[in-house]
Amino acid sequence: MTRTTSAVARALERIGRLDPALHAFVEVWPDGALTREREAVARRLPLGGLPFAVKGPSGIRSFAARRLIAAGGSPVGATSVPGPGTHWQTWGLGAHGRTVNPWRADRTPGGSSAGSAVAVAAGMAQLATGSDGAGSVRIPAAWCGVFGLKTTNGLLPSPDRSGLASAGVLARSAAAAEPYLRQVLDGYEPVAAPALPLPAVYSEDLGYAEVDPEVAAVVRAAVDRLVATGTVRLLGREAALLDPVGAWTAIRGGSPDDPEAARVRRTNDERLAGLLAGGALLLTPVTPNRPHGHEGPGDLYSTALTWAFNLSGHPAASLPAGFTGDGCPVGLQLAAARGTDVRLLAAARAVEDALPAAPVPPAAGRAAAGR
């Protein structure tokens, strides 16, 4: 008789095999994870021992992690975040060294939820917690070819006093992320599959960003496919937001009452209300650039298209859209009205169903073939 290996045991085996090269984890907790899985199965808890990873050494104390554990999730380890003095260089520092992109080791996975994205992309965890203050869930999700969701600001407890950061989740797909919202949200109620086509506005640059033409082309091709399949209906609304860099920087720096920041925030809130009216989605690239090398992005702001929604508080997700010619994943961003996180997840599931299935990275594929 063939013995069935538990989900946590499989995750731990992959961590042991893959993480010395990927450097996604700073700590691994095999004994605790296996014990929690056995208890979850025995007690018939909803998550049944589902193996998940937490962002950074303090992630195990987060609100989301506590909720997932109470529901029967098994945390397998803490993932990498930017190391001291390496904010732009590595975006993640694991136990074995700097965190690398599972698609191209010479590129960063993005951050700051770097290890969480890599762990999910390589199959070392079924989902991972993250936090997003400027794009820290959506950027690594985009660059590692997985799904990432930033929840509505204030929906879940956050230690960030500026109010810019919110909790988030990374998973292989929008469908795989659903258990996270189901367990962490009070009063979670599933919604029916949305009626198609979904009303949406597409913007390459939100009115201010400079976007790599190849990145823009990959995302535009994905949007065109959504239109052709009847998944999305584009509305004739133009996105012309103000560049949030100054406002975001002022608020993060402790000046929430800065007059210019207040003007930018008020103007963008008004414009976003018009764009998202009637339940419309706003579609953009996640980043204006492809994953950069470990030396850093230079003068580019990888956050140019993500931090607008940290400033406004809207929920936003990243879905795999395709690849550039040099083999780098590109993400499609979906933003929706505040508080519609569950509906956004349902819309993301409809969108990903219409796009080609996201492949697994080469390292993860080799591991699966070697089992």
Side-chain angles (χ1 to χ4, degrees), residues 55-85:
K55 178 184 178 179
S58 64
I60 193 65
R61 299 191 297 273
S62 69
F63 174 84
R66 296 197 307 270
R67 281 289 180 95
L68 293 172
I69 291 169
S74 298
V76 295
T79 58
S80 63
V81 293

Side-chain angles (χ1 to χ4, degrees):
M1 178 180 292
T2 302
R3 182 179 179 182
T4 301
T5 305
S6 76
V8 168
R10 291 194 297 272
L12 292 170
E13 187 275 334
R14 291 177 74 83
I15 293 171
R17 190 185 320 178
L18 299 177
D19 201 51
L22 295 174
H23 314 161
F25 285 87
V26 293
E27 299 174 8
V28 181
W29 309 313
D31 293 340
L34 289 166
T35 298
R36 280 199 169 102
E37 182 185 39
R38 288 193 295 270
E39 292 175 349
V41 171
R43 295 172 58 192
R44 297 183 180 181
L45 295 176
L47 294 183
L50 179 145
F52 72 95
V54 299
K55 178 184 178 179
S58 64
I60 193 65
R61 299 191 297 273
S62 69
F63 174 84
R66 296 197 307 270
R67 281 289 180 95
L68 293 172
I69 291 169
S74 298
V76 295
T79 58
S80 63
V81 293
T86 59
H87 181 67
W88 293 105
Q89 284 72 30
T90 67
W91 293 85
L93 186 63
H96 303 284
R98 69 186 183 191
T99 309
V100 302
N101 191 300
W103 291 95
R104 286 191 51 165
D106 63 333
R107 305 293 177 95
T108 175
S112 61
S113 304
S116 287
V118 175
V120 167
M124 296 186 284
Q126 290 188 24
L127 60 80
T129 65
S131 58
D132 190 314
S136 292
V137 164
R138 289 161 289 161
I139 293 170
W143 286 356
C144 292
V146 298
F147 175 81
L149 171 69
K150 177 198 88 69
T151 57
T152 298
N153 290 43
L155 182 67
L156 297 171
S158 170
D160 178 41
R161 294 182 179 179
S162 73
L164 294 171
S166 58
V169 61
L170 299 104
R172 282 291 304 170
S173 65
E178 191 273 340
Y180 173 92
L181 281 187
R182 178 161 28 97
Q183 300 303 330
V184 303
L185 292 184
D186 289 327
Y188 171 87
E189 293 185 8
V191 299
L196 303 181
L198 301 166
V201 177
Y202 173 67
S203 175
E204 175 183 307
D205 57 11
L206 289 177
Y208 59 81
E210 295 185 11
V211 180
D212 178 326
E214 191 172 358
V215 169
V218 171
V219 174
R220 182 73 226 200
V223 172
D224 288 345
R225 182 185 179 100
L226 295 174
V227 172
T229 58
T231 306
V232 158
R233 173 175 58 88
L234 292 182
L235 306 174
R237 302 173 185 172
E238 182 179 356
L241 303 186
L242 301 181
D243 191 338
V245 57
W248 187 96
T249 303
I251 293 169
R252 175 62 81 185
S255 301
D257 299 324
D258 178 83
E260 179 60 15
R263 184 187 73 84
V264 170
R265 206 170 204 172
R266 182 174 59 253
T267 300
N268 281 353
D269 281 353
E270 292 171 353
R271 294 178 182 180
L272 284 168
L275 292 170
L276 300 173
L281 299 171
L282 177 54
L283 312 179
T284 78
V286 174
T287 63
N289 54 332
R290 65 193 78 194
H292 55 75
H294 294 281
E295 73 283 354
D299 296 330
L300 293 173
Y301 280 107
S302 304
T303 54
L305 295 167
T306 50
W307 55 8
F309 304 110
N310 297 92
L311 197 65
S312 69
H314 292 78
S318 172
L319 283 76
F323 293 81
T324 54
D326 56 355
C328 293
V330 174
L332 167 66
Q333 180 169 229
L334 280 64
R338 297 183 191 91
T340 61
D341 301 62
V342 178
R343 292 188 181 279
L344 173 59
L345 187 64
R349 293 185 67 167
V351 167
E352 71 182 8
D353 285 346
L355 296 175
V360 297
R366 287 194 296 271
R371 281 206 300 266

